[in-house]
Amino acid sequence: IDAASNTSVEDVRDLRERINFAPNKGRYKVYIVDEVHMLSTAAFNALLKTLEEPPKHAIFILATTEVHKIPATVLSRCQRHEFRRIPIATILAYLQSKVREEGLKVEERALALIARQATGSLRDAISLLDQLASTGEEVTLAFAEEVLGTATDEVVRGVVEALIDRDVGKGLSLIHAALDKGSDPRQFGRQVVDCLRDLLLVRMGNADLAEATQETLHWMEAQAGRPALALILRGIHSFSQAASERRSTWQISLPLELAFVETIG
């Protein structure tokens, strides 16, 4: 059930009637209510009776990203499980085991890129790996970058270094070179944000929270004391906006160009 799709009190009452029928197969019937916080007060009240005394064969899963909108009377009758993004290291370890089990040929750096691109979703990581390995050929870092529309770490570090040096010419040239080679503008913006975020963590003494490669971490440790904190924060804000820009602009490089210039101010 998608509660965001105008689920009414009548829908909940109909569910209450059908839930009493035992499953034809298996021991349980599982009802997943997505975006449950979108239910009206009346719909919650209609559901409450079933939650208080559910049939033994019925299991309810109430999914939400806004738990504070769930009535206390409902929350008190639920077990609460928080789902969070999976750390990159955990995703990478799983992909490594999957590659070994299936005898795939994938470069270690390509696996690390896939793990970062999945942004905490193991399902997305597996899908990306399957997509890249579908050719039957070895999955190299260069091939993965080409298919995923990402720029190399060296280019991203170059743009961040140009921000630190306030070198507009170098920064814009690197941005255009990355886009000319097929990098996706929004993805490139996200890569710059990730790099700046990790640089901020290193500067704040939390390098263990950064999700960069060892090579990039060594570079960040050398750079951490150079940029002003305000510049890093402006860069994260400006490039985040550029990464969320819709593709309606006829000049695809413009959001990134503006983000670079606004950052160095």
Side-chain angles (χ1 to χ4, degrees), residues 189-190 192-193 234-245 259:
R190 287 192 288 268
V192 175
V193 170
R234 284 199 306 272
I236 292 174
H237 177 73
S238 297
F239 279 93
S240 292
Q241 285 189 320
S244 62
E245 283 283 340

Side-chain angles (χ1 to χ4, degrees), residues 23-93:
N24 294 325
K25 296 181 179 179
R27 295 176 57 190
Y28 300 102
K29 278 186 176 181
V30 180
Y31 296 86
I32 302 175
V33 186
D34 193 22
E35 303 290 350
V36 69
H37 62 271
M38 298 292 289
L39 289 179
S40 65
T41 301
F44 270 122
N45 289 336
L47 183 62
L48 187 58
K49 180 63 176 178
T50 301
L51 294 179
E52 289 175 338
E53 300 176 1
K56 292 183 179 180
H57 62 260
I59 296 175
F60 276 92
I61 297 177
L62 310 181
T64 181
T65 54
E66 300 185 51
V67 70
H68 59 280
K69 292 185 178 180
I70 310 299
T73 50
V74 174
L75 282 178
S76 64
R77 290 162 174 80
C78 299
Q79 293 183 3
R80 182 168 170 176
H81 301 275
E82 298 280 355
F83 291 89
R84 298 178 176 84
R85 294 183 184 276
I86 302 174
I88 287 179
T90 303
I91 293 178
L92 181 58

Side-chain angles (χ1 to χ4, degrees), residues 1-2 7-24 28-33 46-47 50 53-60:
I1 301 172
D2 184 357
T7 302
S8 65
V9 178
E10 289 71 22
D11 294 326
V12 175
R13 287 173 178 165
D14 179 60
L15 174 63
R16 286 176 52 187
E17 292 178 2
R18 288 188 287 112
I19 201 173
N20 292 314
F21 294 101
N24 294 325
Y28 300 102
K29 278 186 176 181
V30 180
Y31 296 86
I32 302 175
V33 186
L47 183 62
T50 301
E53 300 176 1
K56 292 183 179 180
H57 62 260
I59 296 175
F60 276 92

Side-chain angles (χ1 to χ4, degrees), residues 38-216:
M38 298 292 289
L39 289 179
S40 65
T41 301
F44 270 122
N45 289 336
L47 183 62
L48 187 58
K49 180 63 176 178
T50 301
L51 294 179
E52 289 175 338
E53 300 176 1
K56 292 183 179 180
H57 62 260
I59 296 175
F60 276 92
I61 297 177
L62 310 181
T64 181
T65 54
E66 300 185 51
V67 70
H68 59 280
K69 292 185 178 180
I70 310 299
T73 50
V74 174
L75 282 178
S76 64
R77 290 162 174 80
C78 299
Q79 293 183 3
R80 182 168 170 176
H81 301 275
E82 298 280 355
F83 291 89
R84 298 178 176 84
R85 294 183 184 276
I86 302 174
I88 287 179
T90 303
I91 293 178
L92 181 58
Y94 180 86
L95 293 180
Q96 289 169 336
S97 66
K98 184 176 176 65
V99 166
R100 288 193 298 269
E101 290 173 5
E102 299 188 11
L104 303 176
K105 296 181 179 179
V106 186
E107 282 187 5
E108 190 67 21
R109 292 187 300 168
L111 276 183
L113 174 62
I114 294 170
R116 292 199 302 273
Q117 288 295 105
T119 60
S121 170
L122 184 59
R123 180 184 62 184
D124 289 350
I126 295 172
S127 296
L128 290 174
L129 177 61
D130 290 342
Q131 176 188 351
L132 293 171
S134 62
T135 62
E137 303 293 330
E138 181 180 7
V139 179
T140 64
L141 176 62
F143 176 66
E145 288 172 340
E146 179 182 355
V147 173
L148 300 178
T150 61
T152 63
D153 288 344
E154 291 81 0
V155 172
V156 176
R157 290 199 300 264
V159 170
V160 173
E161 195 166 297
L163 285 172
I164 296 172
D165 295 335
R166 298 181 179 274
D167 189 336
V168 179
K170 176 184 176 182
L172 296 185
S173 294
L174 287 170
I175 290 172
H176 278 264
L179 299 185
D180 289 343
K181 290 182 179 179
S183 294
D184 179 83
R186 298 172 69 184
Q187 178 58 44
F188 188 81
R190 287 192 288 268
Q191 286 183 268
V192 175
V193 170
D194 288 342
C195 187
L196 288 170
R197 178 247 184 195
D198 288 341
L199 183 61
L200 177 64
L201 290 172
V202 172
R203 183 186 175 109
M204 295 293 101
N206 294 104
D208 56 314
L209 299 178
E211 297 178 339
T213 63
Q214 284 300 316
E215 179 185 357
T216 300

